[in-house]
């Protein structure tokens, strides 16, 4: 939400929703202090800031072509208060960098109606050492530099030792589904069984690319489940 003001976000969302027959879903997040502050903003009271931002979006004017209903929005909610805001002021939540236990907790807060669509990093690699090394260096290590993610993981029993050295094996295994197609399918199913409506699968690739080969391999199993 710090990257553009609420009026611009409202206009862009309505433009895209109209252009793509209502298929656009707007995601909004409070981000993290190191990212926000370097942009010249002051990261403070993210919950209140998000609430004010949603108020400003709802009050913004827009005169272009629009779709009906208005484009849906979801919040990148981690903690219980932001999840409550996602429940009350948005279509639901899109949590990132979370274990299955967070999905279960988020569903408890959201209730039965709102959308819950957690992200899940996946890696088609059956060698434990190689899988964990790639996941650690290309995914987990970076996000452990961001305090909101670390604080959220502490709620689920992870401690300082888990955050050292780019992440313990226990932490890697909780955040990244690695192995063969069936192992990844089981982790996706675990999030669905915990209350997710949709799991946003993000493949990790050694070349830091999109991992389209992994998506092609996974798609038949995930679509059939």
């Amino acid at each position: 939400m710090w990257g553009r003001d609420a009026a611009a976000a409202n206009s862009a969302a309505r433009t895209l929703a109209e252009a793509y027959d209502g298929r656009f879903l707007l995601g909004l997040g409070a981000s993290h202090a190191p990212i926000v502050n370097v942009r010249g903003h002051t990261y403070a009271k993210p919950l209140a800031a998000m609430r004010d931002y949603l108020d400003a979006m709802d009050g913004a004017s827009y005169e272009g072509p629009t779709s009906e209903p208005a484009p849906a929005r979801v919040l990148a909610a981690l903690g219980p208060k932001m999840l409550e805001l996602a429940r009350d002021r948005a279509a639901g939540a899109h949590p990132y960098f979370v274990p299955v236990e967070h999905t279960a907790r988020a569903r408890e807060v959201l209730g039965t109606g709102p959308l819950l669509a957690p992200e899940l990093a996946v890696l088609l690699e059956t060698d434990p050492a190689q899988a964990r090394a790639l996941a650690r260096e290309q995914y987990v290590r970076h996000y452990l530099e961001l305090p909101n993610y670390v604080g959220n993981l502490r709620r689920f029993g992870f401690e300082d030792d888990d955050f050292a050295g780019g992440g313990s094996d226990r932490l890697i295994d909780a955040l990244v589904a690695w192995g063969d197609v069936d192992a990844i399918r089981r982790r996706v199913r675990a999030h669905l069984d915990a209350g997710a409506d949709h799991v946003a699968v993000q493949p990790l690739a050694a070349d830091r690319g999109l991992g389209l080969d992994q998506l092609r391999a996974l798609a038949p199993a995930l679509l059939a489940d």
Side-chain angles (χ1 to χ4, degrees):
M1 65 177 175
W2 307 94
R4 60 197 58 80
D5 65 36
N10 178 66
S11 295
R14 289 183 174 273
T15 298
L16 288 167
E18 190 276 334
Y20 293 97
D21 298 324
R23 291 184 289 121
F24 176 72
L25 177 65
L26 175 65
L28 294 169
S31 192
H32 309 263
I35 297 173
V36 172
N37 293 343
V38 78
R39 297 178 68 101
H41 301 284
T42 300
Y43 186 88
K45 298 183 177 179
L47 180 66
M50 178 61 79
R51 187 179 294 111
D52 291 344
Y53 192 90
L54 297 178
D55 289 342
M57 280 193 70
D58 292 344
S61 61
Y62 177 74
E63 298 179 358
T66 189
S67 64
E68 293 297 340
R73 63 194 181 199
V74 293
L75 304 187
L78 294 176
K81 294 297 184 182
M82 193 67 79
L83 284 165
E84 289 174 0
L85 189 63
R87 177 194 66 201
D88 298 339
R89 299 289 306 278
H94 174 40
Y96 191 90
F97 202 63
V98 294
V100 172
E101 292 79 5
H102 182 275
T103 296
R105 183 81 55 83
R107 177 51 70 195
E108 290 178 1
V109 176
L110 292 173
T112 58
L115 175 71
L116 177 56
E119 172 267 354
L120 174 63
V122 303
L123 176 59
L124 276 173
E125 173 58 66
T126 57
D127 181 88
Q130 292 188 36
R132 288 168 177 152
L134 191 148
R136 183 174 288 113
E137 294 306 316
Q138 294 199 12
Y139 179 71
V140 176
R141 183 183 298 276
H142 166 67
Y143 293 116
L144 291 182
E145 298 174 358
L146 300 175
N148 291 358
Y149 288 137
V150 172
N152 182 61
L153 290 168
R154 289 188 188 278
R155 297 186 180 103
F156 298 93
F158 295 100
E159 302 176 343
D160 289 346
D161 288 347
D162 292 301
F163 307 132
S168 67
D169 287 353
R170 182 172 82 104
L171 182 63
I172 300 294
D173 294 350
L175 295 173
V176 179
W178 57 266
D180 59 15
V181 169
D182 193 54
I184 293 173
R185 181 196 62 78
R186 290 196 302 270
R187 181 70 65 83
V188 171
R189 170 48 56 188
H191 277 280
L192 294 172
D193 289 344
D197 298 295
H198 173 80
V199 179
V201 171
Q202 178 182 198
L204 305 180
D207 62 358
R208 297 184 181 274
L210 296 177
L212 294 179
D213 55 336
Q214 296 187 72
L215 291 176
R216 294 187 185 99
L218 289 168
L222 297 183
L223 289 172
D225 191 11

